[in-house]
Structure formats: C-alpha cells, structure tokens
Amino acid sequence: GKGFDFFPQLKFFELRARDLEAMDEGVTLQKIESKQESFMSAQVLNKNDDQNDDQDDNSTIASTSTTGTNKRSSKTGNVEKRSSKASTPKKNKGWTIGAAKSDPYCSIHTYPIELKAASTDVKTETVMQALSPVFETEPILSLRVANGEQLRNASFKISVIDYDALNSDDVIGSAEFTFQELLEGQDDDGIFMFERDVVFKGNVRGIICGKIEVNIPDFIKGNFPHKSRCIEDKTLTITARPASCCVVS
C-alpha cells in the first residue's frame, strides 16, 4: 500500500464549556485570601472614619443633626457619634465567597487506546474556579492508524475533568465522537464544528463546544488533503514513529 510520512492529526481549538456542574465544596484558598483582604479593607475604612470623627471632636463648630442623635457642644467638644468599630465589614461584591465551582480542564482519549500515537496525555490547561471556561490551549492528537477500516471503527472522547490539588481529579463528564462522523461532517476546509452535552453516567453536567482541524488521509481516494497542516509532534519519541504510519488499503 501507499505510505504517508506524517501521523494523521486532530487539532482542537476554540474549546470552551458552559453550565458545568460545580464539583468543589466550600471555598478555595484564593477565595479565603480575598475575604481577608476585603475585611482588612473594611478595617482601613473604619480607621479612616475614626480619624475623621476625632478631627470633628476637636472642632469648635456646634452642630445638631435633624434626628438629634449626633449632638456636638462648642464648649466641651463632646460628640455622641456612631461607633464605626462596631460596624461589620461589607462583602466585596466582586467575589462569591463560599460559592462552589470547578477547576476544569479537557483531556482527550481514543478508543482503542493504541490509536493515540503519543504516550503522554493530550489535554488543555486548567481554568481555575470556572463553570463556563474558555481554554486557550490547542491540543493536538496524533494518530497511529494503518487503514481506513481501523479508523472507521474507532472513536474518541473529550472529557471535562475537575482538577483537585489534594485528591484525585474528578470527571465532570465526557462528549464522545466517532472518526466516521468527523470525516463525513467536516467542511471543505477540513474543519469540524461541534457542540455536545457533557455527560456523566447518563446525567448532563454541562456543554462543550469548539472546532477540530481534521488532518486525516482520505483512504478511499488515496490522498492526504491536509498533510501540510500536520506538524511535528514533540511528544512522540523517535521509536514511536514508524517509517510509514498510514497505509491506504
């Protein structure tokens, strides 16, 4: 058969998710620090209020409020004022203290497993404390496939996973694809656009969408239309790259 010099590849880009299920409980360290900062800011404001009030105490200007609660005497300088120390710090509206969220990232796996040429994980970066993350990373999945029949019977999935620094990561859910639907659904430029439910044990836990650059040989016509878009995958070892990774049957 005819061989190709490059591993066929799928390039994932413009990946984003929305309405993900919150997996974290309680608050994160980032949130706790922000709460402390908010409290400290409130203390500074209270201190400034006290200083301003002290300046008013030393004033010889007599003033009486309309309610009669803040009375000042020009002779004594005594003031009946509200104690700002007793006030509670206001919450910073820019933070949702105590709200549960997730720290999601995407991981891509093939079925069968040996279809993936690289031994390392194919994944995005982790977006901290987000339920509608936008992923900047553009993962590349290099494939080791011998013929069209093998590819038509294969599939892959994009798993959205919650990162956990202390325990094992938790799967939020996955979206599954077949290579056959990619080959049939790609546009003239070899781009497959998608929007799928993120499912875990039959339950929808959000939505994942994005685009896939389909750089796979046409096993029927015997050509490789988007070969020029394949790039060197540095995650592959020299021993993992055969002389001809793809054979047209």
Side-chain angles (χ1 to χ4, degrees):
K2 181 180 178 182
F4 295 102
D5 296 330
F6 293 84
F7 277 116
Q9 296 174 340
L10 299 181
K11 178 181 178 180
F12 300 81
F13 62 105
E14 295 184 16
L15 291 175
R16 58 194 184 279
R18 66 176 187 269
D19 303 329
L20 295 178
E21 183 171 314
M23 303 296 289
D24 295 343
E25 296 180 357
V27 295
T28 64
L29 180 61
Q30 181 180 5
K31 296 297 183 183
I32 294 173
E33 289 177 346
S34 298
K35 183 177 181 180
Q36 290 174 341
E37 290 171 359
S38 177
F39 180 72
M40 290 175 64
S41 297
Q43 286 182 318
V44 171
L45 290 175
N46 290 341
K47 183 177 180 181
N48 291 337
D49 288 342
D50 290 341
Q51 291 174 348
N52 292 335
D53 288 337
D54 290 339
Q55 292 175 357
D56 289 340
D57 291 346
N58 297 327
S59 174
T60 59
I61 300 175
S63 64
T64 304
S65 67
T66 55
T67 60
T69 56
N70 293 333
K71 297 181 179 179
R72 293 178 173 84
S73 171
S74 60
K75 294 182 180 179
T76 63
N78 294 329
V79 180
E80 296 178 10
K81 59 186 178 66
R82 174 182 56 84
S83 175
S84 59
K85 294 181 179 180
S87 63
T88 57
K90 296 181 179 180
K91 290 184 178 180
N92 187 337
K93 295 182 179 180
W95 299 91
T96 53
I97 304 300
K101 291 190 177 181
S102 294
D103 304 320
Y105 66 91
C106 292
S107 182
I108 303 164
H109 303 275
T110 62
Y111 298 93
I113 298 176
E114 56 269 18
L115 189 65
K116 186 182 73 169
S119 58
T120 57
D121 292 337
V122 179
K123 60 184 181 180
T124 67
E125 81 280 15
T126 300
V127 180
M128 304 301 290
Q129 289 295 284
L131 296 180
S132 294
V134 176
F135 302 100
E136 300 294 336
T137 309
E138 298 182 347
I140 294 177
L141 175 64
S142 297
L143 304 168
R144 182 185 288 109
V145 55
N147 53 64
E149 188 64 26
Q150 180 185 9
L151 197 62
R152 283 189 289 270
N153 294 329
S155 63
F156 68 92
K157 71 177 181 179
I158 303 175
S159 296
V160 183
I161 302 174
D162 175 50
Y163 169 76
D164 195 322
L166 301 178
N167 301 304
S168 59
D169 296 349
D170 299 314
V171 177
I172 300 175
S174 303
E176 297 187 8
F177 305 79
T178 65
F179 284 95
Q180 186 66 31
E181 67 175 307
L182 256 65
L183 295 172
E184 295 176 354
Q186 62 181 322
D187 61 20
D188 294 338
D189 295 323
I191 304 297
F192 181 86
M193 295 183 289
F194 69 91
E195 179 173 310
R196 297 286 174 90
D197 289 339
V198 174
V199 181
F200 182 78
K201 295 183 178 180
N203 298 318
V204 176
R205 288 183 164 184
I207 295 174
I208 180 77
C209 51
K211 299 178 181 179
I212 303 174
E213 193 177 87
V214 184
N215 304 321
I216 297 177
D218 188 328
F219 290 98
I220 298 178
K221 296 180 180 180
N223 62 355
F224 201 153
H226 302 295
K227 177 181 176 180
S228 61
R229 295 194 306 205
C230 291
I231 65 173
E232 180 183 0
D233 192 338
K234 295 182 179 180
T235 63
L236 305 178
T237 61
I238 296 177
T239 56
R241 182 183 294 276
S244 295
C245 65
C246 304
V247 178
V248 177
S249 54

